[in-house]
C-alpha cells in the first residue's frame, strides 16, 4: 500500500491447489505478467486502509494481521456471504464485485485501457465485454424511453 500516492500494488495471489489428493494454500505471483499491477484507490479507502494496518507488522497480510498466513480464499468467500446476508442481499460470488467495479469505472468515463490495466487483464478484449454490455443496455433504455424511438 502506497499511502503517499493513494495506490495499492498487486503482486501476490493466494490460492488453494490440489496436490497428491490433498490441498494446500500457496502464495505466488499472479497468473500473468499483467496481473501484477498498481491500482489507484479513493481517498476514503486509503484512510480506512491506514487505520486497518495501524499496528500490524510491516509484512503482515491485511486480512489476518499475520506475516506467516494469508486468509484462506474460501473463508473470505464465507465472510463475504455473511456480509451480504446481514445487508439483506442475495448470495453472490465475490468475483461479482470485480464485474461491478469494471462496469462502474466504464460508466464513470474511465477509458477501457485504464480499466483493463486496473483489472490486470492481459488482453483489452476481456475488458471490452463490459463496454459492450453497457452500450447494449444504454441502447435498450434509449429505445424504450425515447419518444421517437
Amino acid at each position: 500500500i502506497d499511502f503517499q500516492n493513494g495506490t495499492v500494488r498487486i503482486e501476490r495471489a493466494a490460492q488453494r491447489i490440489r496436490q497428491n489428493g490433498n490441498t494446500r494454500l500457496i502464495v505466488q505471483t499472479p497468473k500473468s505478467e499483467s496481473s501484477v499491477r498498481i491500482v489507484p484507490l479513493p481517498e476514503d479507502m486509503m484512510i480506512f486502509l491506514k487505520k486497518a494496518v495501524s499496528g500490524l507488522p510491516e509484512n503482515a497480510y491485511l486480512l489476518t494481521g499475520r506475516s506467516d498466513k494469508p486468509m484462506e480464499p474460501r473463508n473470505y468467500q464465507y465472510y463475504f456471504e455473511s456480509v451480504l446476508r446481514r445487508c439483506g442481499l442475495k448470495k453472490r460470488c465475490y468475483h461479482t464485485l470485480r464485474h461491478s467495479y469494471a462496469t462502474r469505472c466504464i460508466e464513470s468515463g474511465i477509458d477501457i485501457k485504464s480499466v483493463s490495466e486496473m483489472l490486470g487483464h492481459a488482453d483489452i478484449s476481456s475488458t471490452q465485454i463490459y463496454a459492450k454490455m453497457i452500450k447494449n443496455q444504454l441502447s435498450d433504455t434509449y429505445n424504450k424511453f425515447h419518444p421517437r424511438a
Side-chain angles (χ1 to χ4, degrees):
I1 303 170
D2 180 346
F3 290 107
Q4 192 165 355
N5 292 309
T7 60
V8 173
R9 180 174 167 81
I10 309 297
E11 56 189 24
R12 293 180 289 169
Q15 68 179 49
R16 187 155 281 287
I17 61 166
R18 211 170 267 291
Q19 201 172 50
N20 301 328
N22 295 318
T23 64
R24 67 183 182 103
L25 186 65
I26 61 166
V27 177
Q28 61 188 15
T29 56
K31 61 184 176 183
S32 70
E33 193 176 305
S34 61
S35 294
V36 175
R37 61 204 183 273
I38 295 174
V39 179
L41 294 177
E43 186 178 344
D44 59 342
M45 180 58 74
M46 294 307 291
I47 292 168
F48 173 81
L49 285 174
K50 193 170 238 178
K51 288 178 188 173
V53 301
S54 176
L56 292 181
E58 191 174 324
N59 296 358
Y61 290 98
L62 178 64
L63 299 175
T64 62
R66 296 172 50 173
S67 56
D68 63 333
K69 188 174 184 191
M71 180 173 268
E72 286 275 352
R74 66 178 163 226
N75 287 347
Y76 198 77
Q77 180 63 38
Y78 297 150
Y79 173 74
F80 179 63
E81 289 170 7
S82 75
V83 170
L84 292 175
R85 276 192 305 278
R86 286 195 310 264
C87 293
L89 300 171
K90 65 181 181 177
K91 187 176 177 179
R92 299 254 188 243
C93 172
Y94 185 73
H95 198 77
T96 303
L97 289 178
R98 195 174 151 82
H99 297 298
S100 297
Y101 173 75
T103 302
R104 297 301 164 260
C105 284
I106 293 169
E107 286 176 343
S108 299
I110 299 173
D111 66 279
I112 290 182
K113 176 80 171 124
S114 296
V115 174
S116 183
E117 289 176 10
M118 289 187 289
L119 293 173
H121 287 161
D123 185 352
I124 197 168
S125 65
S126 300
T127 315
Q128 287 173 324
I129 292 167
Y130 298 108
K132 216 175 255 186
M133 288 172 25
I134 292 167
K135 185 178 177 183
N136 290 344
Q137 182 181 12
L138 184 61
S139 179
D140 291 346
T141 302
Y142 176 83
N143 289 333
K144 183 176 180 181
F145 293 105
H146 193 276
R148 296 185 188 154

